[in-house]
Amino acid sequence: MMACLLEAPLRISVLSEVTATSRHYVDRLFDPDPQNVLQGVIDMKNAVIGNNKQKANLIVLGAVPRLLYLLQQSSSSLELRTECAVVLGSLAMGTENNIKSLVDCHIIPALLQGLLCSDLIFTEACLRCLRTVFISPVTPVQLLYTDPTVIPHLMSLLSRSQHTQEYITQIFAHCCKTPEHQMVLFNHGAIQNIAPLLISPSYKVQMQALKCVSVLAYENAQVSMTLVNVIVDGEQLSQVFVRMMHRDKPIEMQLTAAKCLTYMSRAGAIRTDDSCIVLKTLPCLVRMCSKERLLEERVEGAETLAYLMEPDIELQRIASVTDHLVSMLADYFKYPSSVSAITDIKRLDHDLKHAHELRQAAFKLYASLGSNDEDIRKKITETENMMDRIVSGLSESSIKVRLAAVRCLHSLSRSVQQLRTSFHDHAVWKPLMKLLQNAPDEVLVMASSTLCNLLLEFSPSKEPILESGVIELLCSLTQSVSPALRVNGIWALMNMAFQADQKVKVEIVRALGTEQLFRLLSDPDTNVLMKTLGLLRNLLSTRPHIDQIMSSHGKQIMQAVTLILEGEHSIEVKEQTLCILANIADGNTAKELIMTNDDMLQKIKYYMGHSNVKLQLAATFCISNLIWNEEDGSQERQDKLRDMGFVDILHKLTQASDPNLCDRAKTAMQQYLA
């Protein structure tokens, strides 16, 4: 056998010896005497059990099409057909290549056809083989849904025996990958048929039914709402799950039951303050994070817990003080193997290879824990070497770890305190900028969101980031096809322009280019439009800046303002646009662009009389800035605006019911009296 490791020419001769011993098994399948064929299949069954080499040889020699032929022949005895199904099941237990060969020989339709036979033993053998084929990652799950009669037929076989229940629920659990799959199963009565199996006397059946329910409920409101109302043997389903989370139940059962309740809660079917979530599910998931647990359990526990409490600040607070969770997660970086596995060399080796999954899960859970509460964020950043761990996570080879690390960083970057301290001390911006160079969109969205926060005016990282050539990078994000990336690019530029010096503003306008700026002002995504208006408002913020930018781009900016005020836009968008106009009206030379534009003045007049107070306020601001006394030419401006009827409108607004609007109008009127 060792000779297989030698160079290619020798391999051929060795293979022919091996296949010679296998060939007689295949030859016997073609014997004219049915009794000999049956015996041949039985001998083959015994030869392949646990022998991957033998399985591969028989597949190469063409045993599969012949076995499938015998399985489908109505002239074959039931015993022969059953033995064929058993051998095929055994061949499927080998490598992924074996499964590929079986699927290529159309084993799935042949076995599904076999399920129409009324004999239970044969049906179970077909199902066992189908189960093995379907749970392999190389089998296309779509094959279960090709023929619409298959799912209802499988549902009808659930009542036949514990074996059919175990195999069918396992097939469903593995083949339910999309919302469409969920609905096909749901519409064929999956809940009514599978829920009773949760209290089956067989642990295997219970477990497969539980897994099946969890994949059906995931992010599916309709399924989750249905599950809440299901009664099994006089007990609500949620209570059945709570029982399954008891500490004396197997870990796999506790964890899967916790997933079911988590998914039902996230889909809106169970309140987050329900005792089955707060007192049962959350503590159960925290227990799974302990270093006593196996790696897979710790990963799944942490990821499920992160998902459970993501939208809920109360659950985040409760989790953060349960069983020292924050420090327990620090062990995810130090001890990939559980305490119990220390003596098991094979296990240790496996855990080292999969340690990155633990780091990913820990980052996800930290991100979820710290997404709202300042004290929790402080607790996380004060955990030993936490910031260093995140920084090294940003440059790990695994894309999933990088994504989770940047999610964690983003969550912590929502804290003014952390931006001023730990973020600055660890120069987090450097690896973040590196990550932005050529990452997939998912990572880019998170990384650029974090960058937006690092560019806020009170963040000490703002200066070094500016010097690192970030403007070009952000301008390129604004051209992305992904709306989320366009928003983040423009948002970061907006933050950067806030109270910035003239040099930075000029650089932003130059790098973005007026063409792109105006393209963004007509972006179909409202968020992009709002942030672009925010950027423009920040660029036009002090008099010299206003005059300088308007002297070079005034015509286009006024055009853009006109288009937005005339378009079908939300109150927020129009308010932001009128605020930009008020800033322009505050410039020394820039205000002439409004004064010489009667159409724009009529628009301001229209918005002063609008039904929305926010728009009235912003429009009144514009007029106030135009007529301000101490400035050159104020007399001429006041006269022109009086002639256009603005004084009458201001007078009317001094009687407005909104106190702010009333004050603003009075202040403006005083300019005329001075």
Side-chain angles (χ1 to χ4, degrees):
M1 283 299 171
M2 285 309 289
C4 280
L5 298 174
L6 295 172
E7 292 306 307
L10 281 168
R11 192 180 293 151
I12 295 162
S13 58
V14 174
L15 189 67
S16 58
E17 281 171 39
V18 179
T19 48
T21 54
S22 310
R23 177 158 283 127
H24 75 279
Y25 285 118
V26 180
D27 291 343
R28 289 167 69 192
L29 299 180
F30 293 89
D31 193 295
D33 181 352
Q35 211 40 51
N36 291 349
V37 175
L38 176 63
Q39 197 49 54
V41 175
I42 292 170
D43 292 346
M44 188 186 276
K45 173 177 74 175
N46 297 329
V48 294
I49 289 174
N51 185 341
N52 274 350
K53 197 67 204 252
Q54 186 66 275
K55 290 177 189 178
N57 289 333
L58 290 171
I59 289 173
V60 167
L61 291 169
V64 177
R66 182 62 182 170
L67 287 166
L68 285 171
Y69 172 79
L70 295 169
L71 177 116
Q72 290 171 284
Q73 275 308 90
S74 49
S75 57
S76 300
S77 67
L78 252 178
E79 192 184 356
L80 174 59
R81 293 171 75 190
T82 306
E83 291 293 351
C84 286
V86 172
V87 175
L88 288 163
S90 192
L91 294 177
M93 288 287 205
T95 62
E96 289 188 351
N97 276 337
N98 293 7
I99 300 258
K100 278 194 185 125
S101 307
L102 293 172
V103 173
D104 290 343
C105 290
H106 306 295
I107 188 170
I108 293 175
L111 291 169
L112 289 172
Q113 193 62 34
L115 297 179
L116 298 172
C117 170
S118 59
D119 182 78
L120 183 58
I121 314 266
F122 176 60
T123 301
E124 288 179 351
C126 289
L127 280 172
R128 191 179 310 115
C129 184
L130 275 168
R131 180 270 316 262
T132 308
V133 172
F134 271 121
I135 65 175
S136 163
V138 299
T139 307
V141 293
Q142 210 40 49
L143 293 172
L144 185 66
Y145 303 94
T146 326
D147 176 347
T149 62
V150 168
I151 303 287
H153 185 61
L154 288 171
M155 291 288 177
S156 71
L157 292 176
L158 277 170
S159 55
R160 295 287 303 274
S161 72
Q162 281 183 4
H163 285 309
T164 65
Q165 290 168 352
E166 179 195 337
Y167 305 144
I168 292 171
T169 44
Q170 195 173 357
I171 290 170
F172 286 163
H174 268 274
C175 294
C176 185
K177 302 280 189 211
T178 67
E180 291 74 43
H181 296 163
Q182 287 175 327
M183 290 331 287
V184 170
L185 292 168
F186 177 77
N187 292 334
H188 282 106
I191 309 281
Q192 303 85 299
N193 284 300
I194 293 168
L197 306 182
L198 292 166
I199 55 169
S200 161
S202 151
Y203 173 74
K204 282 181 170 176
V205 172
Q206 272 187 316
M207 238 359 272
Q208 294 306 338
L210 192 55
K211 285 180 179 170
C212 194
V213 170
S214 85
V215 294
L216 284 168
Y218 180 65
E219 299 207 331
N220 191 313
Q222 196 178 357
V223 172
S224 296
M225 292 296 188
T226 307
L227 286 169
V228 172
N229 299 314
V230 171
I231 306 284
V232 179
D233 206 20
E235 193 176 24
Q236 273 194 309
L237 206 49
S238 55
Q239 286 315 301
V240 176
F241 294 145
V242 166
R243 257 210 337 272
M244 290 175 157
M245 290 189 295
H246 281 181
R247 288 165 186 265
D248 58 351
K249 294 283 190 278
I251 294 297
E252 179 189 29
M253 179 172 267
Q254 291 184 46
L255 192 47
T256 315
K259 279 167 89 169
C260 289
L261 288 164
T262 295
Y263 297 162
M264 288 161 71
S265 168
R266 282 300 306 265
I270 301 177
R271 289 170 55 105
T272 49
D273 57 4
D274 189 301
S275 64
C276 77
I277 298 295
V278 181
L279 302 177
K280 301 293 183 188
T281 310
L282 186 140
C284 170
L285 289 168
V286 173
R287 284 202 304 275
M288 297 302 150
C289 299
S290 123
K291 60 171 184 265
E292 314 297 315
R293 303 265 58 86
L294 292 174
L295 179 134
E296 296 78 9
E297 295 158 1
R298 291 161 81 192
V299 168
E300 215 170 320
E303 293 196 334
T304 308
L305 181 54
Y307 182 65
L308 171 67
M309 63 189 181
E310 200 175 9
D312 194 276
I313 188 165
E314 256 334 289
L315 289 180
Q316 290 157 15
R317 287 183 178 142
I318 296 165
S320 72
V321 294
T322 305
D323 291 355
H324 308 290
L325 178 63
V326 175
S327 51
M328 191 147 67
L329 283 176
D331 290 336
Y332 275 45
F333 298 91
K334 294 187 289 191
Y335 308 113
S337 270
S338 68
V339 181
S340 52
I342 293 304
T343 50
D344 179 351
I345 287 294
K346 228 172 157 176
R347 183 78 216 182
L348 281 172
D349 183 51
H350 167 274
D351 288 352
L352 280 172
K353 284 199 184 84
H354 292 267
H356 64 94
E357 293 176 23
L358 273 177
R359 294 194 292 277
Q360 174 197 344
F363 284 140
K364 273 189 188 167
L365 186 42
Y366 277 136
S368 190
L369 270 171
S371 54
N372 294 295
D373 187 286
E374 198 54 45
D375 296 334
I376 301 176
R377 290 184 194 129
K378 192 168 181 307
K379 209 168 171 180
I380 293 171
T381 45
E382 286 170 0
T383 307
E384 43 176 337
N385 309 336
M386 193 56 213
M387 293 309 284
D388 295 331
R389 290 201 173 112
I390 296 178
V391 167
S392 55
L394 293 174
S395 53
E396 274 205 38
S397 58
S398 156
I399 181 78
K400 287 183 167 168
V401 177
R402 292 204 299 274
L403 180 58
V406 79
R407 268 176 71 175
C408 183
L409 195 61
H410 177 247
S411 189
L412 298 173
S413 76
R414 290 178 173 159
S415 151
V416 176
Q417 180 63 35
Q418 296 311 327
L419 285 173
R420 285 191 169 145
T421 53
S422 46
F423 273 59
H424 188 51
D425 303 342
H426 290 81
V428 164
W429 64 271
K430 285 183 184 164
L432 192 64
M433 289 287 292
K434 199 171 155 222
L435 194 60
L436 280 161
Q437 297 311 321
N438 49 7
D441 275 9
E442 253 188 315
V443 175
L444 273 180
V445 169
M446 270 301 152
S448 52
S449 290
T450 311
L451 195 60
C452 287
N453 293 344
L454 289 176
L455 288 167
L456 290 162
E457 89 277 13
F458 49 74
S459 159
S461 310
K462 183 173 180 175
E463 281 311 306
I465 294 176
L466 275 177
E467 287 153 23
S468 71
V470 70
I471 296 181
E472 297 288 345
L473 183 116
L474 295 172
C475 291
S476 68
L477 286 183
T478 68
Q479 300 180 4
S480 165
V481 283
S482 147
L485 285 177
R486 292 202 302 278
V487 167
N488 287 350
I490 203 77
W491 193 341
L493 289 169
M494 177 185 99
N495 287 351
M496 195 186 283
F498 182 74
Q499 295 180 355
D501 54 30
Q502 184 63 4
K503 190 171 105 258
V504 173
K505 290 184 178 179
V506 170
E507 178 53 26
I508 290 174
V509 175
R510 188 204 61 73
L512 192 58
T514 43
E515 227 176 280
Q516 176 60 3
L517 182 62
F518 296 113
R519 197 176 296 128
L520 291 165
L521 284 171
S522 55
D523 199 281
D525 188 289
T526 308
N527 289 328
V528 175
L529 177 55
M530 277 299 281
K531 294 289 177 274
T532 310
L533 291 168
L535 167 64
L536 202 47
R537 190 174 168 182
N538 287 350
L539 290 172
L540 298 167
S541 61
T542 64
R543 278 199 185 146
H545 298 179
I546 294 169
D547 289 333
Q548 192 192 347
I549 290 175
M550 292 307 288
S551 69
S552 51
H553 303 294
K555 194 171 160 223
Q556 289 153 299
I557 289 175
M558 293 299 282
Q559 223 173 348
V561 167
T562 307
L563 281 174
I564 292 171
L565 291 177
E566 286 176 354
E568 294 287 322
H569 290 287
S570 66
I571 297 292
E572 288 73 34
V573 167
K574 295 206 166 174
E575 180 192 16
Q576 187 80 296
T577 308
L578 287 166
C579 289
I580 290 170
L581 205 52
N583 284 9
I584 296 169
D586 192 35
N588 288 325
T589 54
K591 53 167 56 88
E592 281 312 306
L593 285 163
I594 301 177
M595 286 307 299
T596 54
N597 184 335
D598 285 2
D599 177 46
M600 189 60 82
L601 290 170
Q602 291 298 342
K603 285 188 170 49
I604 295 173
K605 196 177 187 179
Y606 165 75
Y607 283 108
M608 284 173 80
H610 198 277
S611 57
N612 186 289
V613 171
K614 284 181 176 174
L615 298 183
Q616 286 181 289
L617 257 171
T620 308
F621 239 120
C622 294
I623 290 302
S624 200
N625 282 347
L626 291 173
I627 60 178
W628 208 256
N629 258 324
E630 289 95 74
E631 293 159 13
D632 286 349
S634 60
Q635 194 56 54
E636 289 88 339
R637 288 194 294 276
Q638 288 183 4
D639 293 345
K640 173 168 181 178
L641 293 173
R642 179 189 280 116
D643 295 345
M644 288 183 72
F646 277 94
V647 176
D648 304 340
I649 298 175
L650 283 172
H651 189 70
K652 215 184 319 179
L653 291 179
T654 55
Q655 268 95 58
S657 56
D658 182 86
N660 291 335
L661 185 55
C662 182
D663 290 349
R664 173 59 44 207
K666 282 177 183 163
T667 312
M669 284 295 282
Q670 277 160 5
Q671 300 304 309
Y672 275 99
L673 304 170

